Amino acid sequence: MESGDPLVTAQWLKENISAPDVRVVDATWIPPFLNRDETGRQLWSNCHIPGAVHFDIDAIKAGGTDLPHMLPDPVMFSSRVRKLGIGDGNRIVVYDQFNMFGAARVWWMLRVMGHQDVKVLDGGLQAWIDVGGETEDMPPVPMERHFTARVRSDLVKDVTQMVAASEGKTHTIIDARSKDRFTGEAPEPREGLPSGHIPGSISVPSSMLSDESGKMKSADALKPLFPDTSRPLITTCGSGVSAAVTALALARLGNWDVAVYDGSWTEWASDSSRPIATGEA
C-alpha cells in the first residue's frame, strides 16, 4: 500500500542522489499550444540534474489514436522505460522544469504500470538549484534494467467509464482546467473543441494547488480546496496532464487511489453526442 507524502524535497534528493537504487527522471513537458521556442527535451538537454534521463510523454504514448500522449500498453511502456535505465527495485524521483505538469503525469504513469516507489521533486529543477544542487548538460548513458509491469487499471478511466460515472454519480469528477474553460466562458486551446465540462463534475483548477515558488501547497492548505476526499474520485483536464497534478495533490491528502481520465476533455468534447454542461457546477 502506498502511503506518506508523494513528494520529496530537494534537500532529501541532494542527500540521497548517490544511493545506488535512486533514479532521477526529468519529465519536462511544454504544452504545444503555448508555442514556446524550446521543447521539454531541449530544456533537459540544456540543463538537468546529474544523471537524470528524459521521459517524453509525447514519445512514450499509445499509437493508433489522434488523442495526445495516451497511456501506452504495458509491453511498449516496459520496453521504453527499460532503455532509460528505469526498472524494478529503483526509487524513482521525477521532476520537471515547467509547473510540475510532466512530473505528475509520469508519476501517475509509473504507478499505473505497478511501480510504487516513485516520488515527485517538490519545486522541480529550481528547488534543486536553490539548495545548491549541481546541474549538467551531458546526457547520461543509462544501463538497461528490467521493468515488470503490473497494471493498475483502477487508476485510469476511459470514456465509457466516464459516461457511467457522470450519469450514475458514482464518483466525484474533479476538473483541473481553468474555471473559465470549465464554465464555458473561455475557449479551449485546442482548435475545434467547445469549452464546458462533463455533467456532474466540479472545478478545482490545478493552478490553485501550488504556491508562488512552484512547490505544491501543504496538506493543510490543500484540504479546503476539495470536497470529501474519502469517496471515489476521478480527475480530468484538457488531455490528462494537469489531471495528474490533481491526483498528486490528493495523494498528499492521503487518497492514493484517485483515477485519471486519460482522454480527458480532448476526447469527451470531440464527440458531439456527449453532453456538455456550462456554467457553475
Side-chain angles (χ1 to χ4, degrees), residues 152-168:
R152 283 195 60 184
S153 57
D154 61 306
L155 294 181
V156 56
K157 298 297 183 185
D158 62 23
V159 68
T160 301
Q161 292 169 315
M162 291 305 296
V163 170
S166 173
E167 292 178 348

Side-chain angles (χ1 to χ4, degrees), residues 135-238:
T135 61
E136 65 182 14
D137 58 7
M138 292 294 293
V141 183
M143 293 182 61
E144 191 167 320
R145 187 179 181 92
H146 183 70
F147 184 95
T148 305
R150 301 178 178 87
V151 178
R152 283 195 60 184
S153 57
D154 61 306
L155 294 181
V156 56
K157 298 297 183 185
D158 62 23
V159 68
T160 301
Q161 292 169 315
M162 291 305 296
V163 170
S166 173
E167 292 178 348
K169 297 179 173 56
T170 56
H171 295 69
T172 298
I173 303 171
I174 302 173
D175 195 316
R177 294 172 302 148
S178 65
K179 188 67 173 290
D180 52 1
R181 289 167 63 189
F182 177 90
T183 60
E185 297 171 281
E188 286 295 307
R190 293 171 179 83
E191 187 175 351
L193 284 183
S195 55
H197 58 269
I198 298 170
S201 57
I202 64 171
S203 174
V204 182
S206 62
S207 60
M208 298 172 60
L209 307 180
S210 299
D211 61 23
E212 296 80 5
S213 71
K215 295 179 180 178
M216 183 163 279
K217 291 178 179 178
S218 68
D220 286 344
L222 289 170
K223 191 170 184 179
L225 302 177
F226 294 100
D228 181 6
T229 57
S230 64
R231 75 183 309 267
L233 302 173
I234 303 171
T235 63
T236 182
C237 60

Side-chain angles (χ1 to χ4, degrees), residues 74 77-79 81-82 86-89 110 112-116 145-151:
F77 185 88
S78 298
S79 173
V81 299
R82 234 181 4 245
I86 300 170
D88 301 344
L110 284 162
V112 171
M113 294 298 170
H115 197 98
Q116 291 190 350
R145 187 179 181 92
H146 183 70
F147 184 95
T148 305
R150 301 178 178 87
V151 178

Side-chain angles (χ1 to χ4, degrees), residues 1-270:
M1 295 291 291
E2 294 166 296
S3 61
D5 196 337
L7 294 100
V8 296
T9 66
Q11 187 61 42
W12 181 95
L13 181 59
K14 192 175 181 183
E15 294 170 359
N16 291 273
I17 194 168
S18 298
D21 59 341
V22 169
R23 296 290 181 273
V24 183
V25 177
D26 185 312
T28 303
W29 175 77
I30 308 297
F33 51 80
L34 294 181
N35 297 315
R36 295 274 291 264
D37 292 334
E38 291 181 303
T39 65
R41 185 169 186 83
Q42 287 169 329
L43 290 171
W44 163 80
S45 180
N46 293 340
C47 178
H48 55 263
I49 294 174
V53 294
H54 185 249
F55 189 119
D56 185 352
I57 64 171
D58 283 328
I60 304 178
K61 65 175 182 178
T65 176
D66 293 333
L67 296 171
H69 41 252
M70 292 286 284
L71 191 72
D73 66 67
V75 174
M76 188 270 204
F77 185 88
S78 298
S79 173
R80 297 298 294 274
V81 299
R82 234 181 4 245
K83 291 180 172 63
L84 293 176
I86 300 170
D88 301 344
N90 284 157
R91 287 186 290 168
I92 302 171
V93 178
V94 193
Y95 76 93
D96 65 29
Q97 304 180 39
F98 189 77
N99 294 343
M100 211 180 297
F101 288 146
R105 174 75 184 187
V106 172
W107 168 83
W108 171 77
M109 292 174 73
L110 284 162
R111 292 177 58 245
V112 171
M113 294 298 170
H115 197 98
Q116 291 190 350
D117 204 348
V118 53
K119 305 284 188 179
V120 170
L121 175 59
D122 200 10
L125 181 65
Q126 187 58 54
W128 171 259
I129 293 170
D130 289 345
V131 298
E134 297 180 355
T135 61
E136 65 182 14
D137 58 7
M138 292 294 293
V141 183
M143 293 182 61
E144 191 167 320
R145 187 179 181 92
H146 183 70
F147 184 95
T148 305
R150 301 178 178 87
V151 178
R152 283 195 60 184
S153 57
D154 61 306
L155 294 181
V156 56
K157 298 297 183 185
D158 62 23
V159 68
T160 301
Q161 292 169 315
M162 291 305 296
V163 170
S166 173
E167 292 178 348
K169 297 179 173 56
T170 56
H171 295 69
T172 298
I173 303 171
I174 302 173
D175 195 316
R177 294 172 302 148
S178 65
K179 188 67 173 290
D180 52 1
R181 289 167 63 189
F182 177 90
T183 60
E185 297 171 281
E188 286 295 307
R190 293 171 179 83
E191 187 175 351
L193 284 183
S195 55
H197 58 269
I198 298 170
S201 57
I202 64 171
S203 174
V204 182
S206 62
S207 60
M208 298 172 60
L209 307 180
S210 299
D211 61 23
E212 296 80 5
S213 71
K215 295 179 180 178
M216 183 163 279
K217 291 178 179 178
S218 68
D220 286 344
L222 289 170
K223 191 170 184 179
L225 302 177
F226 294 100
D228 181 6
T229 57
S230 64
R231 75 183 309 267
L233 302 173
I234 303 171
T235 63
T236 182
C237 60
S239 65
V241 177
S242 56
V245 179
T246 305
L248 180 68
L250 288 162
R252 174 162 259 191
L253 289 174
N255 189 336
W256 288 79
D257 298 323
V258 176
V260 170
Y261 174 24
D262 198 16
S264 281
W265 191 249
T266 301
E267 179 178 40
W268 184 275
S270 65

